[in-house]
Amino acid sequence: KEEEGKKIYWWPAIQNVGEGIFLEFNKDSIDNWIKNNQYISDEITKLRKRALTKESFCPCTNIKPEKDINPKFILLHTFSHLLINEIIISSGYSSSSLQERIYCSDDGDSEMSGILIYIAASEGTGSLGGLSRLLEPENLQKLIEGMFFRFSNCSNDPVCINSTASGTESFNFAACHACALIPETACEFRNLFLDRKTIVGGDKVDGFFQKFFNTNK
């Protein structure tokens, strides 16, 4: 476009409005869980080595296998997916309207252990307050309780819960379309690096939330 002899560069754009839920995990709780679950640490070490040998993996995600694939990331990512699926069931949002951001780092001052679940849309869907209202303590507790008990079992169990290599490139453990997978437009990492056992427990693994719900899985 030219105006009075000057070139003006412009690009079309849209304005999104949205809301979300951010949850930060307690560092000591995660560290103690990892310390008491050597089996899952060993399995994820094997997963990291597998990822490093897959040429098709790295260009398609934001993950650096040697740095980012660890028990804390698997825990946060799986929790995010299960919570999204519970929100879809409980709140009425469509399965493709929610998205995630995983904040996971062990780098000194920038250490992070959190997740963001949000909705962003060009119309008013993401500004009505329904999602953020779920953050109120009584609602959030019911949401997490529902998530835990709903996904403690999967319709594909025992195959799902005992899986050691599922999904694309076999980068998942216990995760399938009946429990931990979400639309790929909602996931940062192509539905990879998920394990439902980290949340609800399973063979040789104590789930992170088992101690809160006093289950003996």
Side-chain angles (χ1 to χ4, degrees):
K1 179 181 178 181
E2 293 188 5
E3 183 176 314
E4 296 181 356
K6 296 181 180 180
K7 289 185 178 181
I8 300 175
Y9 298 95
W10 60 276
W11 292 267
I14 60 173
Q15 180 179 3
N16 285 338
V17 292
E19 57 180 330
I21 298 173
F22 177 78
L23 298 175
E24 183 177 7
F25 281 58
N26 181 275
K27 177 184 181 299
D28 292 337
S29 294
I30 291 182
D31 288 344
N32 289 334
W33 173 77
I34 294 173
K35 181 180 178 181
N36 294 326
N37 281 276
Q38 186 60 44
Y39 176 79
I40 197 69
S41 296
D42 293 342
E43 290 300 300
I44 292 173
T45 297
K46 297 176 185 176
L47 177 64
R48 185 188 306 117
K49 291 179 179 178
R50 267 205 324 270
L52 286 167
T53 65
K54 297 289 185 178
E55 295 179 358
S56 62
F57 160 65
C58 293
C60 301
T61 70
N62 299 319
I63 284 286
K64 297 179 177 61
E66 69 282 359
K67 178 182 177 182
D68 297 330
I69 300 177
N70 54 59
K72 181 166 76 170
F73 175 77
I74 302 289
L75 169 68
L76 294 175
H77 193 207
T78 306
F79 176 81
S80 173
H81 278 221
L82 295 184
L83 189 59
I84 284 175
N85 282 332
E86 182 64 23
I87 289 172
I88 289 168
I89 295 169
S90 301
S91 70
Y93 282 111
S94 66
S95 61
S96 59
S97 63
L98 299 174
Q99 298 182 55
E100 68 173 358
R101 285 288 184 272
I102 308 299
Y103 299 92
C104 180
S105 173
D106 291 316
D107 294 339
D109 295 336
S110 62
E111 184 168 345
M112 299 179 288
S113 303
I115 66 166
L116 172 66
I117 297 173
Y118 67 97
I119 180 171
S122 55
E123 81 286 353
T125 304
S127 62
L128 299 177
L131 187 60
S132 59
R133 188 171 183 179
L134 294 174
L135 193 58
E136 295 177 3
E138 65 275 12
N139 294 333
L140 182 60
Q141 180 177 345
K142 291 178 182 177
L143 195 68
I144 294 177
E145 286 177 355
M147 176 206 76
F148 181 88
F149 290 113
R150 188 184 309 276
F151 297 112
S152 290
N153 296 291
C154 169
S155 59
N156 288 325
D157 282 343
V159 175
C160 178
I161 199 67
N162 292 326
S163 178
T164 57
S166 66
T168 305
E169 304 283 9
S170 298
F171 284 153
N172 288 335
F173 294 107
C176 71
H177 286 284
C179 58
L181 301 189
I182 60 177
E184 296 223 354
T185 54
C187 178
E188 284 192 283
F189 309 105
R190 294 170 51 205
N191 269 324
L192 304 178
F193 312 113
L194 299 163
D195 186 1
R196 184 163 50 95
K197 292 192 297 294
T198 60
I199 304 298
V200 303
D203 185 33
K204 301 180 182 178
V205 178
D206 292 326
F208 184 81
F209 282 89
Q210 276 185 267
K211 60 183 178 182
F212 299 110
F213 294 106
N214 297 317
T215 61
N216 296 309
K217 195 173 179 66

